[in-house]
Structure formats: structure tokens, C-alpha cells
Amino acid sequence: MEVIIQKTTEQAVELTAKIIAENIGIKPDFVLGLATGRTMEAVYAELSRMHREDNLDFSLCKTFNLDEYIGLPPEDKNSYRYYMNYHLFNRINIDKRNTHLPNGMAEDEIAEGKHYEDLIKRAGGIDLQLLGIGSDGHIGFNEPISALFSRTRAKSLTPATYAQNSPLFDNPEDMPKRAFTMGVGTIMEARRILMLVTGASKAEILAKAIEGPLTSMVTASAIQLHASCTVIVDEAAAADLKEKDYYRWIFENEPEWQKYRQ
Ligand code: GLP
């Protein structure tokens, strides 16, 4: 794992978008795993800008989102399909048929989980999975005590997640209490993981995920097992990390990162 601390949120966001863009440049038919949430809005704005101004080409890309609320149709403005269309897909040259999210309206939940796993497999697996972190340490919607080998399935959300996400709904009570999510095991099969965490409110849970024990109580801690994982954070989110100086030292001295130094 590498932890890269950037001074500002803007720099953390820019670096995240830059890494994604470089990968797409190298492999135009890139399979990109995407995340939702407030943190990612700026990343999608930056990727959209790169498409507009720097000709970043998504025409051959495929995407797979981590999760979707159960019971929300795609046209509901709180669905993650709506979020993705609004923040990214409508602003870039991606073929929407190549963009995937679990179907929140699926009647057979078990079949939907299997179907999503099949789609990922048929696409050749995910090249890079973008991740945020929930206030309770979740990745996707893998809430505490989710099996670390879990696959795409329906999951009940915790009160902490409800408190975190319900303010985004016009009527907070409309937030579904369940969602489909890729499993921790599904996420771990991505060839590379890129996690972005910003803001002081995430400092404590980020430290637990990165420097704490590997535990299903903080499903983000599973990324400690991934062979190719980069975590990008701003100073505010890095506040509780014990080994900050060590992470900075690696960034300064690792040849791979020289081109990103500011
Ligand atoms: C949701 C998503 C997660 C995301 C989290 C963080 O719960 N399911 O994938 O990491 O939000 O959200 P925010 O960026 O708004 O803090």
C-alpha cells in the first residue's frame, strides 16, 4: 500500500483524476470501477474537464459502480445511476451501454448479485477500482461485519450510514435501508485499488482502516491485503495517521511518484 498525502483537497482530487486518466491513455478499453458520494463529485468534474479540454477519450471504456440503493429506479434523483449520469456519464463520450450499476429494482436479489458478478467477469475484471470510505469504515456498502470474502449481494445499511447519506435526500426518510453492493471479495479482485479520502471527518476512520488491525468491523481495512493499492488523502484526512512522515518519505523517494511531485 502507498499513502500519498496532498496539501489540499483539490490536489488530492487532481492526482486521483490524473492517475485514472493516465491509465485510460495507456489502455483505452479500460475497465473502471467507480464509487459515489460527495468526495467523488470533484473527481468526476475533473475527469469531465479532462475530456472536454484534453480530449480524454472514454469511448472504449467500461465502468462498474460499487453499489446501488434497493428500491430506487434509475430516474430517481437519489439513485446512484442518476448520480453517475449527472456527474460523469452525461459529460463524457462513454457509451452508456458500457456503464454498469446493480439494478436497484431487481426482484430476485440473489440472481442480481450473480448477474453483476458475471458482467464483471465477462468484461475481463476491473482494472482499477476507485474507492471512498464511509463514516463507519465501509467500502461500497460493505457495512461492519461484512465477510471479507463477500460477493455482490443485498446488504442492510447501518444507522451510521443512514445518518451519513440521508441528508442527501429531499426527504431524509426516503433513503432506502438496503442496497446492492459489490462484496469486499469482489473489490479485492480489481487489479488496482485507488482510494480517495478527504476532510477532517474521515481522519479517525481512515487511520483505523490503514494502520489498524485487519477486521470486518472496518471493511476498508481489507485493502491492506491488496497487492496494488494507492490511498490518496488530503492533510485534514491524514491528521490521525501515525506514520505520516514515513508516507511522505516514500512519496519523495519512490521513482514512480517523481512525476507527481508539486
Ligand atoms: C456511500 C458509498 C461509498 C462512499 C461513501 C462516502 O456510502 N456507498 O462508496 O465511499 O458514500 O461518501 P462521502 O464521499 O459522501 O463521504
Side-chain angles (χ1 to χ4, degrees):
M1 181 192 290
E2 279 155 324
V3 181
I4 299 177
I5 303 169
Q6 298 281 277
K7 278 205 188 69
T8 65
T9 308
E10 291 71 29
Q11 286 169 343
V13 164
E14 265 171 40
L15 180 56
T16 304
K18 214 180 215 173
I19 292 172
I20 294 171
E22 275 179 1
N23 275 281
I24 295 173
I26 294 165
K27 185 179 182 227
D29 58 346
F30 204 65
V31 182
L32 185 55
L34 295 171
T36 49
R38 284 158 277 216
T39 313
M40 296 305 158
E41 290 176 15
V43 175
Y44 298 145
E46 178 60 8
L47 288 172
S48 306
R49 187 201 63 74
M50 287 170 152
H51 166 66
R52 235 177 19 249
E53 294 173 15
D54 310 332
N55 299 319
L56 179 60
D57 181 12
F58 292 87
S59 60
L60 298 176
C61 287
K62 290 197 177 86
T63 66
F64 287 92
N65 265 80
L66 287 166
D67 42 22
E68 177 62 284
Y69 288 114
I70 289 180
L72 297 191
E75 58 282 1
D76 187 299
K77 82 184 204 311
N78 289 114
S79 73
Y80 283 162
R81 164 54 79 179
Y82 189 97
Y83 170 108
M84 288 310 307
N85 287 346
Y86 179 79
H87 289 288
L88 187 65
F89 302 150
N90 289 346
R91 299 167 196 257
I92 58 174
N93 65 332
I94 198 159
D95 182 341
K96 285 231 182 80
R97 287 169 303 183
N98 288 334
T99 66
H100 306 279
L101 289 93
N103 172 10
M105 301 303 285
E107 275 172 27
D108 185 337
E109 294 181 352
I110 298 196
E112 178 58 17
K114 287 208 176 94
H115 174 62
Y116 204 61
E117 293 277 334
D118 277 354
L119 287 175
I120 295 172
K121 208 174 284 166
R122 265 188 267 150
I126 292 171
D127 288 311
L128 181 150
Q129 178 65 54
L130 182 61
L131 291 179
I133 190 171
S135 56
D136 62 2
H138 68 216
I139 46 176
F141 271 133
N142 291 285
E143 301 288 41
I145 71 163
S146 288
L148 299 182
F149 288 128
S150 52
R151 312 301 307 189
T152 305
R153 69 215 183 288
K155 228 11 230 172
S156 293
L157 305 176
T158 59
T161 297
Y162 201 72
Q164 178 197 284
N165 289 359
S166 61
L168 299 172
F169 288 67
D170 289 339
N171 178 6
E173 282 169 16
D174 289 344
M175 179 177 150
K177 299 205 172 56
R178 300 174 72 242
F180 285 112
T181 180
M182 278 187 206
V184 182
T186 320
I187 293 168
M188 292 294 288
E189 280 173 14
R191 287 183 265 282
R192 182 172 180 185
I193 285 182
L194 186 59
M195 177 180 267
L196 172 66
V197 184
T198 60
S201 66
K202 298 285 176 67
E204 193 182 337
I205 195 67
L206 177 74
K208 281 189 187 157
I210 290 177
E211 296 178 335
L214 175 68
T215 169
S216 65
M217 286 303 292
V218 179
T219 57
S221 67
I223 67 171
Q224 294 174 20
L225 293 173
H226 199 281
S228 180
C229 175
T230 305
V231 182
I232 299 175
V233 302
D234 62 4
E235 287 285 356
D240 290 353
L241 294 174
K242 287 194 197 75
E243 299 295 340
K244 265 189 278 193
D245 292 343
Y246 170 52
Y247 307 143
R248 288 203 178 94
W249 193 88
I250 294 173
F251 187 62
E252 294 302 319
N253 292 291
E254 193 61 47
E256 189 197 337
W257 295 111
Q258 300 310 309
K259 61 181 168 180
Y260 298 109
R261 288 176 59 183
Q262 282 158 345

